[in-house]
Amino acid sequence: MSRLSHLQALEAESIHIIREVASEFQRPVMLYSIGKDSSVMVRLAQKAFYPGPIPFPLLHVDTTYKFKEMIEFRDQFAAQLGVKLIVHSNTSALQAGANPFRLGTERCCGLLKTQSLLDALRAGNYDAAFGGARRDEEKSRAKERIFSFRDSLGQWDPKNQRPELWNIFNGRVEPGESIRVFPLSNWTEMDVWQYIHVENIPIVPLYFAKDRQVLVRGNSLIVPEQDFVKPQLGDKLETVRCRMRSLGCSPCTGAVRSDADTLPKIIAELVAVRNSERENRVIDHDREGSMELKKREGYF
Amino acid sequence: MSAAFVEEPSQKFDIEQFLAAEESKGLLRLTTAGSVDDGKSTLIGRLLHDAKGAYEDQLKSAVRGGQIDFSLLTDGLRAEREQGITIDVAYRYFATIKRKFILADTPGHEQYTRNMATGASTAELAIILLDAHRGLTTQSRRHAFIATLLAIPNFVIAVNKMDLVGYDQEVFNRIRAEFEPFLERIGTKNYYFLPLSALKGDNVVDRGSHMPWFNGPCLLEYLETVDPADNMVQAPFRMAVQRVVRPDQNFRGYAGQIASGTIRPGDEVQALPSGRRSKVKRVVTFDGDLKMAHAPQSVTLTLADEIDISRGDMISSGTPSQSARMFDATMVWFDAHPLDPAHDYLVKHTSHTVPARVDGVRHLINVATLESEPATSLAMNEIGVVRIATAKPLFFDPYKDNRVTGSFILIDRKTNHTAGAGMILAAAEGSLEDAADRLVRLVRAAVPEGSQLNLPSDDAQAMEVVRGLLKGVLK
């Protein structure tokens, strides 16, 4: 009997979700973070509406502290795809000098990511926003619905989520309320990498190992792209062969030592790796359950 | 070594070989139900740990008193960690070299029946966990009943904590003898009784040495090899249209996920509710046209004739779906506000959302005793049989035949809450479209928009077609 492979099954499920959103909502938007998961999500959107175009814009919430290579990649990617790209930044917070060193990572994320995202969604009057989050990333995400309801303040109430059965999604909202949609909910990091490989999906070169100048701080390797990232006591500036396992803001996203400079080598590394990918993200470790707290407030 | 994700990569690790193996790897969706007391979190924690689904930094945060507390790997929300209970469905992912698994982990207490139903809705296998020391409980029966109600095709009855009863075969046999008649009575399919100890690891990923009297495969081996018994590919073709894809004047396609069956270019299909027939011209995907597609693929179909089809319509072939505005369904109630026949609801069924009301509760099912009890409403976590009346006809199959076209959710129009989930039993008697209605629709369907009768030119063949149609009408 014919049965789909796990990647085919995941693809079919994600396409179904993306089509439901495009059909049921007035103004959907797809959050585009430039990372590998976003790249996969955009490919699935292309597949969902083929031979038609993607019927919604992409939205990038830019903290302005992203890696330079990410921004170059973003602009090229959007141009090639012919899709509308909206870039939003919290300019007033940035003008007031917001950065993770002055404010701490928690407040900085709150202003430049969460607040900025909520402002962008409100400005566009979007009633549905796709995000590339996966349930295997973090414990509180394991319980989030594929269609995740947000009240008029953009907040998530984990104890009061809509039950979600079969592949039937309830996307009914009142004006001002919205739904965050996670078409990659059931994908794992391994699935994403395999799909990128099989489908030949372009990704930011930062994912591939090469010699980079980094600040070595304990186990963290920080790329000093921003002026305010300065060596502290005990830091060493070194050239290290390394790569990013996940992409975020350059001051808060550490590289990992690696020789994986091709997709097969990345996948081989993943097979061996015993540390989950978010470990190098400073923000998840702020305090116990920190991702859940951020999500309640509106973070993706 | 079958348990490990893959062997440690060495210099010889061949990625092409690895990816080729991954190419054919299937997916199994499963659900567990059980309370903390049954050792469910410990069992899942062990599966994740031993099958390398939990990474080391997550393991580090689960260490209490120098030992890994496996339950801390799975309880994700703050309130749960604070109270030491599981209050919602959590999805877990792990993989072996043979399969990828998606596990819906659900709480077991009575007040979480709705979570159990949620986890069960997409599962192809259920693990019913019970405690060898305590024996069969009302809760085990309830789990088995709900999983059977949701039509999960495979069951593992995991008799846990065998270490507490000295790995005694008699205890295991006694529990099996007590539980089997119940499973037979409720119609559970393909069940496998398995003695294990999640705490000690016996019969989870490895056999262990404590139960030489048991010869069956251990849990992970069983999960890797069980035939999902998914008959949806053989069932008649059904695809609800999610969206009409029309990028320009030359292309008009109907996008959807195939609910059941297979489809090929040239196949004759019928569109509901119009009843019009046409042939599939192309099965379109981003990766090129397909010669054949089957459930659960997402595709776009183009048809040979210009017929009016929009979102919510059903494209089907083979045995026709039932069509009715009134039907009976088994309902699991979710909302804090009880089911109210005077209230306005919406039914969302496939990609079709229609106004509906509940035309009475036929009875409530006592999940502990399986007895029917009279009722006029359903409260949160209750299960009952209700009659639903919709503003427009739905095109469905009974849930036992098709979990996609036989399921629906009920949405509260005031709050937008998902108030309940339904599994269609059958059209209410006398509510099937009456014969005249149906004849008119069939005749209209037989006459294409150009007005030429769409019957075979050969009289005998045409008569055969009409006879076939009438047979359906008059049954």
Side-chain angles (χ1 to χ4, degrees), chain B residues 159-440:
Chain B
V159 181
N160 191 23
K161 302 197 184 178
M162 287 301 292
D163 53 310
L164 291 186
V165 295
Y167 298 103
D168 185 352
Q169 186 176 7
E170 281 309 306
V171 175
F172 173 70
N173 286 345
R174 199 159 57 232
I175 290 173
R176 183 165 61 186
E178 197 185 347
F179 206 10
E180 244 170 5
F182 178 85
L183 296 175
E184 288 296 327
R185 184 176 152 211
I186 62 175
T188 308
K189 288 185 268 181
N190 306 326
Y191 51 83
Y192 173 56
F193 275 85
L194 176 66
L196 56 84
S197 165
L199 192 67
K200 307 285 179 193
D202 300 287
N203 278 341
V204 181
V205 172
D206 300 304
R207 240 161 222 278
S209 56
H210 294 109
M211 289 178 277
W213 47 266
F214 186 80
N215 295 317
C218 64
L219 181 60
L220 192 62
E221 191 185 339
Y222 189 77
L223 298 180
E224 282 180 322
T225 51
V226 64
D227 176 1
D230 172 353
N231 56 7
M232 292 324 288
V233 176
Q234 270 90 5
F237 178 77
R238 306 278 188 258
M239 188 185 94
V241 175
Q242 286 185 276
R243 192 178 175 82
V244 180
V245 178
R246 198 162 195 187
D248 55 54
Q249 292 306 308
N250 302 320
F251 188 93
R252 185 185 175 87
Y254 307 104
Q257 184 173 19
I258 300 172
S260 59
T262 60
I263 196 79
R264 294 175 179 81
D267 284 357
E268 183 165 303
V269 290
Q270 184 177 34
L272 295 168
S274 76
R276 291 191 184 281
R277 286 171 190 278
S278 184
K279 282 201 165 98
V280 174
K281 198 160 108 190
R282 294 170 57 197
V283 179
V284 179
T285 76
F286 179 87
D287 303 297
D289 284 12
L290 302 180
K291 290 196 183 84
M292 193 270 280
H294 60 82
Q297 281 176 286
S298 286
V299 295
T300 298
L301 302 181
T302 66
L303 301 181
D305 307 280
E306 280 264 328
I307 57 180
D308 184 28
I309 298 179
S310 49
R311 173 172 168 83
D313 291 3
M314 180 80 77
I315 298 177
S316 66
S317 74
T319 328
S321 306
Q322 294 189 38
S323 158
R325 282 172 213 228
M326 201 180 274
F327 54 87
D328 290 337
T330 311
M331 236 32 276
V332 182
W333 200 254
F334 293 144
D335 208 28
H337 189 81
L339 179 151
D340 179 359
H343 201 77
D344 289 331
Y345 296 103
L346 293 169
V347 159
K348 187 170 181 193
H349 169 254
T350 66
S351 55
H352 199 195
T353 306
V354 296
R357 65 191 171 76
V358 179
D359 196 41
V361 177
R362 295 173 67 94
H363 58 261
L364 182 143
I365 301 167
N366 181 323
V367 180
T369 63
L370 301 186
E371 302 293 331
S372 297
E373 295 170 5
T376 54
S377 176
L378 294 176
M380 197 202 284
N381 290 309
E382 286 185 338
I383 298 176
V385 173
V386 303
R387 178 157 289 185
I388 306 276
T390 53
K392 290 180 183 166
L394 295 188
F395 308 98
F396 59 83
D397 300 283
Y399 183 78
K400 65 176 173 54
D401 298 333
N402 194 319
R403 290 171 87 184
V404 180
T405 60
S407 55
F408 65 93
I409 59 171
L410 210 56
I411 300 168
D412 187 314
R413 289 192 89 163
K414 276 209 184 91
T415 61
N416 291 331
H417 290 174
T418 302
M423 290 144 279
I424 299 175
L425 294 163
E429 272 170 50
S431 76
L432 283 167
E433 285 175 288
D434 70 31
D437 241 16
R438 200 156 173 191
L439 251 186
V440 169

Side-chain angles (χ1 to χ4, degrees), chain B residues 127-138:
Chain B
I127 300 176
I128 308 289
L129 202 60
L130 42 92
D131 179 342
H133 191 60
R134 282 193 301 158
L136 194 58
T137 61
T138 302

Side-chain angles (χ1 to χ4, degrees), chain A residues 2-299:
Chain A
S2 38
R3 226 174 123 75
L4 300 182
S5 76
H6 69 295
L7 289 180
Q8 290 170 325
L10 291 171
E11 179 190 81
E13 174 184 277
S14 301
I15 290 174
H16 171 83
I17 293 162
I18 294 169
R19 285 171 172 169
E20 278 302 279
V21 173
S23 300
E24 288 214 319
F25 291 87
Q26 305 293 318
R27 292 180 62 80
V29 68
M30 182 169 273
L31 271 290
Y32 175 67
S33 74
I34 322 178
K36 63 183 193 304
D37 305 285
S38 283
S39 292
V40 166
M41 188 163 63
V42 172
R43 170 61 58 89
L44 292 165
Q46 283 180 284
K47 292 196 175 195
F49 307 107
Y50 178 85
I54 297 176
F56 40 73
L58 304 186
L59 169 65
H60 179 227
V61 175
D62 192 357
T63 61
T64 70
Y65 298 135
K66 301 294 174 191
F67 293 94
K68 292 187 199 82
E69 283 177 80
M70 289 172 69
I71 302 303
E72 286 165 22
F73 179 89
R74 175 193 75 190
D75 295 339
Q76 207 185 348
F77 184 73
Q80 275 173 2
L81 221 63
V83 69
K84 187 183 172 195
L85 172 74
I86 300 161
V87 178
H88 185 93
S89 299
N90 186 347
T91 41
S92 56
L94 286 166
Q95 274 160 15
N99 79 42
F101 284 72
R102 289 185 51 180
L103 302 177
T105 57
E106 243 179 274
R107 277 198 66 207
C108 186
C109 271
L111 286 170
L112 299 187
K113 286 185 173 174
T114 309
Q115 190 56 48
S116 188
L117 170 65
L118 294 176
D119 291 346
L121 294 178
R122 201 170 299 121
N125 200 19
Y126 300 114
D127 52 0
F130 289 102
R134 291 176 280 110
R135 285 177 179 149
D136 78 326
E137 281 178 70
E138 202 271 341
K139 282 200 282 188
S140 73
R141 286 195 161 150
K143 305 207 167 179
E144 184 150 12
R145 304 294 188 259
I146 291 172
F147 271 44
S148 188
F149 178 79
R150 292 296 187 281
D151 65 16
S152 55
L153 297 173
Q155 298 177 104
W156 181 53
D157 181 358
K159 281 192 186 167
N160 200 16
Q161 302 192 75
R162 291 178 179 174
E164 205 160 77
L165 292 92
W166 302 291
N167 62 354
I168 310 177
F169 302 104
N170 175 1
R172 312 269 312 173
V173 289
E174 298 301 322
E177 298 170 345
S178 62
I179 302 279
R180 303 275 174 90
V181 183
F182 302 103
L184 303 183
S185 287
N186 285 327
W187 296 58
T188 62
E189 186 185 19
M190 180 58 105
D191 298 328
V192 167
W193 280 117
Q194 287 184 8
Y195 194 72
I196 287 170
H197 180 66
V198 170
E199 294 280 320
N200 217 355
I201 295 172
I203 51 167
V204 183
L206 285 164
Y207 284 116
F208 297 106
K210 73 170 195 183
D211 293 331
R212 294 185 168 90
Q213 276 250 308
V214 292
L215 281 177
V216 181
R217 184 176 298 167
N219 283 329
S220 312
L221 308 176
I222 301 290
V223 180
E225 278 199 3
Q226 300 295 332
D227 299 339
F228 55 78
V229 178
K230 295 199 175 72
Q232 295 170 7
L233 198 64
D235 287 0
K236 282 177 288 182
L237 193 62
E238 279 180 40
T239 300
V240 176
R241 196 158 178 80
C242 59
R243 66 180 202 89
M244 301 292 161
R245 287 190 69 196
S246 70
L247 294 183
C249 295
S250 70
C252 298
T253 307
V256 291
R257 290 173 195 273
S258 169
D259 286 319
D261 54 2
T262 64
L263 280 173
K265 284 185 190 169
I266 288 174
I267 294 172
E269 187 182 277
L270 198 61
V271 170
V273 88
R274 295 291 147 87
N275 286 313
S276 72
E277 70 196 287
R278 295 197 71 90
E279 195 190 30
N280 69 333
R281 299 287 285 270
V282 180
I283 57 171
D284 291 353
H285 297 282
D286 294 344
R287 59 172 123 127
E288 170 92 344
S290 69
M291 177 61 83
E292 184 187 339
L293 291 173
K294 282 198 183 63
K295 287 175 66 63
R296 282 168 183 261
E297 289 156 9
Y299 181 70

Side-chain angles (χ1 to χ4, degrees), chain B residues 113 116-117 120 141-152 367 383:
Chain B
T113 293
M116 234 184 291
R141 292 194 187 90
R142 186 168 59 237
H143 297 164
F145 174 70
I146 291 165
T148 304
L149 189 68
L150 271 289
I152 298 179
V367 180
I383 298 176

